[in-house]
Amino acid sequence: MKLVFFGDAIVEHLRRWTTFFARQGHEVHVITWNLKVLDGYGDVHVHPMPKALSSSNALARAVNLVSLTRRVRRLLRQIQPDLIHAHSAGPYAWMGMVTRFRPFLITPWGSDVLIHVHDSLINHYFTVRALRHADCVQAEGEDTREALLQLGVDNRNIIVLPIGVDTARYRPGKPSADFLAAHGLAGGPVVVSTRTPTPVHDVDSTIHAAAIVLQKAPAVKFLIVGGGSELPRLKDLGNSLGIGGALVFTDHVDEDEMAACLQAADVCVSTSLSDSGTAASIAEAMACGLPVVATDAGNVRERIHDGENGYVVPLRSPTAVAEKILHLLANPEERRLAGQRNRQLVEEQLDVRHVMKTVESLYVDLCEKATARRK
């Protein structure tokens, strides 16, 4: 098949999906307007398209949509794809809709349909129209399905399917002594957060929980993984709480370094306020054999069961987060068993190879239906 993906080419998830299908022998194209593209796309054809205007106001977005639509349609006429798949229900899905190409799929990434669809009338109008226009919408969990139904998406066009985890890359293990030393993680327990530091992921609560933990366990290090504009403020927060020396911040990391960060840890914590299904960051930690302390967002309770493979705590509750972290650090056997259960669960339910095979079958089915309709 000739497959075209619309999405942000700086995101590892998109690279993982597209390179999988390229390895299966399909001709794969990525259309993106992020001019920063990750290395490692291999045989995937990546088409960066600069926006006409860099501003994000309503006028600029309208001009960009018109300009990009013209160029995208020209490129699609050259490629003649069998199927288009938009990753995220925002502007990339809007573009997929206005090309009027079918079959057309959308994979929302969570906050796009749970939060940002309500940010403005423009977001709501175009996102809802795109979702209703799509031949299939992939929901990561039942919570996302419910949100899609509330937005008027036909239930017959929704498939619930997780994003999937690369279990070959994300696996139990220990990083090198050089890695631990370089990050200042040698010699004590490590608690890791891999949620991108954004307001919706509420890393503030993780740092406030760290302050509570360190009162009783001062040797613990907290590894905060991910880059972005929030980092300076979060570092200031840690310093204001008197725990700056126990916090280790990274910037954006690639997947191999992300796996090493998880392998360096004893406990993973996620204090997100919103998730779609099971967050990829939580699933990756589970694949690395970590117990997880996570806030009650998305479908986390379907994966994490208190006392078995981690704990679920209320939103914005640093005290509860700290209590569970301290409990797990004090009980190494519980941590070990929880990690084993999490690894097994991911292998059985969330392995990306199984997910991609299901998606590939879905692509074939949609293409066959589209061909039958044209006849």
Side-chain angles (χ1 to χ4, degrees):
M1 292 179 286
K2 291 184 180 181
L3 306 175
V4 169
F5 292 83
F6 290 177
D8 190 341
I10 200 67
V11 177
E12 289 90 346
H13 161 72
L14 183 64
R15 181 180 61 182
R16 187 184 309 144
W17 272 59
T18 55
T19 55
F20 174 88
F21 290 113
R23 288 194 299 270
Q24 302 308 305
H26 303 293
E27 181 182 321
V28 181
H29 298 258
V30 170
I31 297 176
T32 180
W33 23 103
N34 189 340
L35 303 186
K36 296 179 181 179
V37 176
L38 283 178
D39 294 331
Y41 271 94
D43 293 332
V44 176
H45 306 276
V46 182
H47 308 274
M49 290 194 172
K51 296 179 180 179
L53 300 175
S54 59
S55 175
S56 60
N57 61 41
L59 176 60
R61 293 171 80 179
V63 170
N64 285 333
L65 186 61
V66 172
S67 170
L68 287 167
T69 299
R70 187 180 301 115
R71 285 180 284 156
V72 168
R73 283 178 172 166
R74 187 182 307 125
L75 179 58
L76 291 177
R77 284 195 294 270
Q78 296 172 7
I79 297 172
Q80 290 295 305
D82 295 301
L83 177 144
I84 289 178
H85 191 160
H87 277 248
S88 90
Y92 286 110
W94 307 351
M95 179 60 66
M97 170 185 67
V98 299
T99 65
R100 299 177 183 175
F101 188 93
R102 292 187 181 278
F104 171 50
L105 292 82
I106 300 175
T107 295
W109 283 6
S111 56
D112 46 4
V113 296
L114 299 173
I115 298 174
H116 298 310
V117 66
H118 305 296
D119 283 351
S120 69
L121 291 175
I122 290 176
N123 270 16
H124 189 273
Y125 176 78
F126 281 104
T127 300
V128 169
R129 285 201 64 184
L131 289 167
R132 293 178 182 178
H133 173 80
D135 297 284
C136 182
V137 181
Q138 177 199 354
E140 292 185 60
E142 290 298 332
D143 60 325
T144 313
R145 184 209 287 270
E146 288 303 316
L148 292 170
L149 292 174
Q150 291 176 17
L151 294 173
V153 180
D154 190 328
N155 189 49
R156 293 170 297 181
N157 293 340
I158 300 173
I159 179 173
V160 177
L161 193 66
I163 289 295
V165 180
D166 183 349
T167 55
R169 173 175 278 120
Y170 293 98
R171 62 187 187 277
K174 281 295 178 185
S176 68
D178 289 342
F179 178 90
L180 295 174
H183 289 77
L185 300 175
V190 176
V191 177
V192 66
S193 165
T194 60
R195 304 312 300 260
T196 305
T198 60
V200 73
H201 291 152
D202 190 27
V203 180
D204 296 58
S205 285
T206 296
I207 293 175
H208 281 288
I212 299 170
V213 169
L214 289 163
Q215 291 176 4
K216 297 184 177 180
V220 178
K221 294 288 187 181
F222 281 79
L223 178 58
I224 312 297
V225 182
S229 60
E230 288 281 292
L231 279 188
R233 186 186 64 77
L234 292 171
K235 291 178 182 179
D236 289 343
L237 174 61
N239 290 332
S240 71
L241 294 171
I243 62 169
L247 302 180
V248 178
F249 291 89
T250 74
D251 207 321
H252 178 82
V253 300
D254 63 24
E255 288 201 277
D256 288 334
E257 190 169 2
M258 177 68 80
C261 289
L262 289 166
Q263 291 169 347
D266 300 280
V267 176
C268 177
V269 61
S270 169
T271 49
S272 181
L273 303 177
S274 176
D275 275 322
S276 176
T278 301
S281 58
I282 292 176
E284 288 163 0
M286 295 169 67
C288 288
L290 290 180
V292 177
V293 178
T295 44
D296 195 0
N299 292 139
V300 69
R301 287 192 180 276
E302 292 183 6
R303 308 291 186 199
I304 305 297
H305 301 112
D306 287 351
E308 295 182 11
N309 58 345
Y311 291 92
V312 180
V313 297
L315 304 181
R316 293 192 176 96
S317 183
T319 300
V321 173
E323 176 188 324
K324 298 307 181 186
I325 291 173
L326 286 166
H327 171 79
L328 286 166
L329 292 178
N331 291 275
E333 182 63 11
E334 181 179 337
R335 290 203 313 272
R336 185 185 69 81
L337 292 174
Q340 287 182 349
R341 294 183 183 112
N342 279 337
R343 176 66 187 184
Q344 182 179 355
L345 186 152
V346 169
E347 288 178 344
E348 293 174 351
Q349 301 180 20
L350 300 174
D351 190 301
V352 70
R353 292 166 297 181
H354 305 325
V355 173
M356 293 297 98
K357 283 297 183 183
T358 302
V359 173
E360 188 174 39
S361 297
L362 174 65
Y363 287 171
V364 171
D365 183 56
L366 288 171
C367 288
E368 289 176 349
K369 290 179 179 177
T371 299
R373 283 196 299 268
R374 285 193 287 269
K375 291 179 179 179

